[in-house]
């Protein structure tokens, strides 16, 4: 794998990262991908109790991963003291491999939403919060959920968040609802990172929100239901609709301080968007692999020819290769920018990757589905589930339209500058016409009249 690092990135990848990347690839290909069907079977075996257990194959994979030194690679070098020493770029290359398997990211303790939550605690948590919650997460002993989106407001605009936080002595009292609380169904999920409105009267709409740590077993917290994604319930991980009724939380659980919610979520979502994009590149590669297997199947001969002998199919393959490779460069460029300037200095590049990569992957997966026909939309291949999961990424961490609007607004700021430059060039052209005594010739047929 290390010999396939894009040439623009080779000089930025250490020898240690190269060796680790090769180990990651072998672990994913030889252990995790074969374990994916076992993971699903162990969930199905639990039947109605599927939310009360997690597949034991995960624990075995975690043990193997730790022995191989594959653990918490997502914590970027230079940004977190807990980092194992890899840059965002180096982890990006590894995450691409993880994205090819349902079990791989959790097996190496690099699964969402824990990655983003660990980053929040590592970057903004105090020492007591780190000891109580970060260390067990880093060790893989517990899991977590991030609660921001709400059912009754347009959560794509985070200033709309309504879950109330009211100070009462040394506690905060929480009331409201959250949904799409990914990971909340897992019996190992012990801590929620919750965003709510603590100062609704503040004139600055970006200082009305706070982030607080809520233990999952706090009285008044209730999982109302688990939501499905295109029919998949994603047990035992799941996506919860959770209510808070007079939930009392110690003030010491507040992260960074009241009114700092926006600062925290922006710091969390930047790297998180890149992590999703990195894994999605791997999913697209996996879809292309399945398509190649299908079109080379000698048993599939529509109209007397193998699928690979039909021109449109080879065009799909070529387009998929181009689109995957181009998207990878966008992701790696964003990772490099984060390494050099931090997430705030790479907002444009992060948004580009967040918007582009899922759309690319959905297109590639759809081609693979089409090549399989009916088999592509059922459980006989991983393609249908992959499409459902990646489709959510166009909504997760902010819908595409929000990012496109911001990017378009920023790009349009160049409007006056480029207009002035084009007009200046036109004036220079006019002066040069006069100097050389020429004019543009409008070549065409002469009138016959």
């Amino acid at each position: 794998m290390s010999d396939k690092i894009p040439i623009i990135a080779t000089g930025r990848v250490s020898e240690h990262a190269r060796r680790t990347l090769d180990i990651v690839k072998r672990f994913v290909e030889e252990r995790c991908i074969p374990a994916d069907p076992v993971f699903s079977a162990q969930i199905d075996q639990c039947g109605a109790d599927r939310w009360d257990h997690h597949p034991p194959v995960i624990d075995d994979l975690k043990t193997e991963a730790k022995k191989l030194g594959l653990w918490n690679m997502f914590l970027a070098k230079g940004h977190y003291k807990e980092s194992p020493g890899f840059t965002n770029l180096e982890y990006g290359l590894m995450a691409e491999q993880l994205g090819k398997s349902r079990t791989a990211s959790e097996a190496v303790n690099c699964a969402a939403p824990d990655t983003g939550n660990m980053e929040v605690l590592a970057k903004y948590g105090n020492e007591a919060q780190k000891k109580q919650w970060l260390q067990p997460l880093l060790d893989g002993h517990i899991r977590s959920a991030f609660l921001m989106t709400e059912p009754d407001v347009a959560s794509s605009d985070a200033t709309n968040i309504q879950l109330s936080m009211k100070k009462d002595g040394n506690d905060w009292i929480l009331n409201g609802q959250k949904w799409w609380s990914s990971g909340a169904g897992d019996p190992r999920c012990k801590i929620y990172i919750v965003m709510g409105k603590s100062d609704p009267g503040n004139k600055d709409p970006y200082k009305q929100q706070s982030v607080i740590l809520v233990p999952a077993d706090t009285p008044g917290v209730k999982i109302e239901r688990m939501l499905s994604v295109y029919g998949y319930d994603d047990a035992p991980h799941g996506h919860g609709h959770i209510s808070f009724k007079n939930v009392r939380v110690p003030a010491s659980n507040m992260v960074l301080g009241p009114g700092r919610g926006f600062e925290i979520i922006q710091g969390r979502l930047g790297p998180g968007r890149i992590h999703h994009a990195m894994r999605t590149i791997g999913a697209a590669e996996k879809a292309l692999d399945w398509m190649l297997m299908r079109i080379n199947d000698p048993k599939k001969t529509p109209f007397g020819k193998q699928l690979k002998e039909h021109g449109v199919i080879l065009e799909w393959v070529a387009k998929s290769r181009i689109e995957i490779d181009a998207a990878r460069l966008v992701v790696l460029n964003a990772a490099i920018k984060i390494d050099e300037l931090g997430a705030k200095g790479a907002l444009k590049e992060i948004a580009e990757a967040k918007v582009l990569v899922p759309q690319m992957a959905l297109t590639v997966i759809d081609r693979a589905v089409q090549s399989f026909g009916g088999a592509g939309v059922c459980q006989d291949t991983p393609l249908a589930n992959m499409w459902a999961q990646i489709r959510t990424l166009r909504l997760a961490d902010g819908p595409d339209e929000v990012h496109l609007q911001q990017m378009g607004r920023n790009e349009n700021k160049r409007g006056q500058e480029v207009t002035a430059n084009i007009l200046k060039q036109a004036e220079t052209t006019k002066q040069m016409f006069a100097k050389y005594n020429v004019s543009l010739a409008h070549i065409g047929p002469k009138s016959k009249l």
Side-chain angles (χ1 to χ4, degrees), residues 110-343:
C110 292
D114 297 330
T115 48
N117 294 340
M118 284 188 270
E119 287 176 337
V120 165
L121 291 166
K123 188 173 183 178
Y124 303 111
N126 58 40
E127 290 307 311
Q129 292 167 349
K130 290 181 180 181
K131 182 179 180 181
Q132 185 175 8
W133 301 114
L134 176 59
Q135 195 56 53
L137 283 166
L138 289 170
D139 293 339
H141 294 157
I142 66 172
R143 299 208 64 185
S144 60
F146 182 67
L147 279 60
M148 178 177 168
T149 304
E150 297 181 3
D152 296 329
V153 298
S155 302
S156 56
D157 177 357
T159 62
N160 288 330
I161 296 302
Q162 293 299 309
L163 182 136
S164 71
M165 295 179 171
K166 294 183 178 180
K167 191 74 182 297
D168 181 33
N170 292 324
D171 297 326
W172 287 89
I173 309 299
L174 278 57
N175 281 283
Q177 296 186 69
K178 296 290 182 180
W179 72 343
W180 293 108
S181 307
S182 297
D186 196 313
R188 298 164 297 171
C189 181
K190 302 301 181 183
I191 185 67
Y192 299 154
I193 296 182
V194 182
M195 183 178 182
K197 188 162 286 188
S198 57
D199 186 9
N202 196 306
K203 293 182 179 179
D204 186 342
Y206 297 101
K207 293 185 178 179
Q208 297 178 356
Q209 297 79 13
S210 299
V211 168
I212 198 165
L213 304 176
V214 181
D217 60 357
T218 304
V221 175
K222 181 182 178 182
I223 298 179
E224 300 288 347
R225 57 178 176 151
M226 300 305 294
L227 307 169
S228 64
V229 178
Y230 288 104
Y232 296 99
D233 64 11
D234 293 337
H237 179 74
H239 314 278
H241 180 178
I242 302 176
S243 64
F244 291 74
K245 186 175 182 179
N246 297 322
V247 175
R248 184 175 291 271
V249 184
S252 58
N253 283 23
M254 185 68 71
V255 180
L256 203 57
R260 307 288 293 275
F262 259 87
E263 178 183 348
I264 294 167
I265 64 167
Q266 286 304 314
R268 180 190 187 279
L269 294 180
R273 290 167 183 144
I274 278 295
H275 294 165
H276 280 314
M278 293 164 172
R279 290 188 290 268
T280 301
I281 296 289
E285 285 282 10
K286 181 175 182 176
L288 179 55
D289 288 349
W290 277 76
M291 180 161 58
L292 289 172
M293 179 181 71
R294 177 68 169 193
I295 69 174
N296 284 280
D297 185 346
K299 299 189 298 295
K300 305 299 180 180
T301 55
F303 305 105
K305 295 190 295 185
Q306 282 186 257
L307 286 170
K308 68 179 180 180
E309 297 176 285
H310 292 271
V312 68
I313 302 296
L314 293 181
E315 182 179 321
W316 290 354
V317 171
K319 285 183 174 179
S320 297
R321 171 48 57 209
I322 292 169
E323 291 157 5
I324 293 171
D325 287 353
R328 179 184 293 109
L329 296 180
V330 169
V331 176
L332 297 183
N333 179 59
I336 292 170
K337 197 76 174 285
I338 296 175
D339 285 331
E340 294 189 350
L341 300 177

